[in-house]
Amino acid sequence: VSAAALESGRQAAGSEGVKSFAEAGRTHIGPGEQPDDWNSNPPTSGDHLASPLGPGVYDGEQDMRALVHNLEHGYVVILYRNIPADQQDQLREFVRERSGSKLVLAPWSGLERDGVALVAWRNLELLQRVNMDVVQAFVNDFLVPGATKSSAPEPNAA
């Protein structure tokens, strides 16, 4: 994705670009515990469950405490809330075309506003609308292996 296409895509998507956050922690917590150290919405690091989720497309909400563990392993997690069906379909197709890679797509009602969140360890980009140039650029930057900007602490974990 060229710099010009990305800039144009971000404007079309209503994105302010990628925001980076300090690492909030990496402690494993039990299923009955809730993290108190998350420093972004959705979280980009912090306390999380001991087991991550498998990659792929989920039609229902997933446990954010498990997804934070995915981020630690170099995943990109794509979350959405109240976006049109055609935009959901674009994201589903994107993730399915990359089956087996460290990608998770799921709805999440915890987003502060309707739209899409592109999430990686310590990095977050919020979109008001899907723009595939922006999604592709984020994945190129943060999806392990091959990520150029990933800060995931356990990139070689499954």
Side-chain angles (χ1 to χ4, degrees):
V1 181
S2 72
L6 180 56
E7 184 53 38
S8 163
R10 282 194 168 129
Q11 287 178 353
S15 166
E16 296 172 10
V18 177
K19 292 189 165 57
S20 295
F21 297 86
E23 185 172 305
R26 307 175 36 192
T27 304
H28 288 172
I29 57 175
E33 296 178 275
Q34 292 299 326
D36 59 9
D37 61 354
W38 289 355
N39 60 1
S40 63
N41 180 17
T44 58
S45 67
D47 293 351
H48 54 268
L49 296 178
S51 299
L53 290 173
V57 174
Y58 292 89
D59 292 327
E61 295 210 20
Q62 301 301 307
D63 193 326
M64 191 54 60
R65 298 171 304 166
L67 287 172
V68 171
H69 197 147
N70 287 78
L71 299 177
E72 187 181 35
H73 291 181
Y75 275 71
V76 167
V77 174
I78 304 172
L79 302 168
Y80 62 89
R81 185 181 107 177
N82 289 340
I83 60 172
D86 62 316
Q87 294 184 32
Q88 290 182 37
D89 289 343
Q90 281 183 288
L91 294 173
R92 281 193 184 100
E93 183 179 342
F94 179 86
V95 173
R96 286 190 178 125
E97 283 173 356
R98 291 153 185 82
S99 178
S101 62
K102 291 186 172 188
L103 277 171
V104 170
L105 172 66
W108 194 52
S109 59
L111 293 177
E112 286 172 9
R113 63 179 187 198
D114 293 349
V116 178
L118 305 174
V119 197
W121 187 258
R122 295 187 46 221
N123 290 278
L124 173 63
E125 185 165 7
L126 297 172
L127 315 179
Q128 293 170 24
R129 293 166 295 283
V130 170
N131 178 281
M132 295 317 295
D133 284 339
V134 177
V135 173
Q136 182 65 62
F138 190 93
V139 166
N140 289 351
D141 284 347
F142 297 106
L143 184 71
V144 170
T148 55
K149 298 181 180 176
S150 174
S151 58
E154 296 178 12
N156 299 320

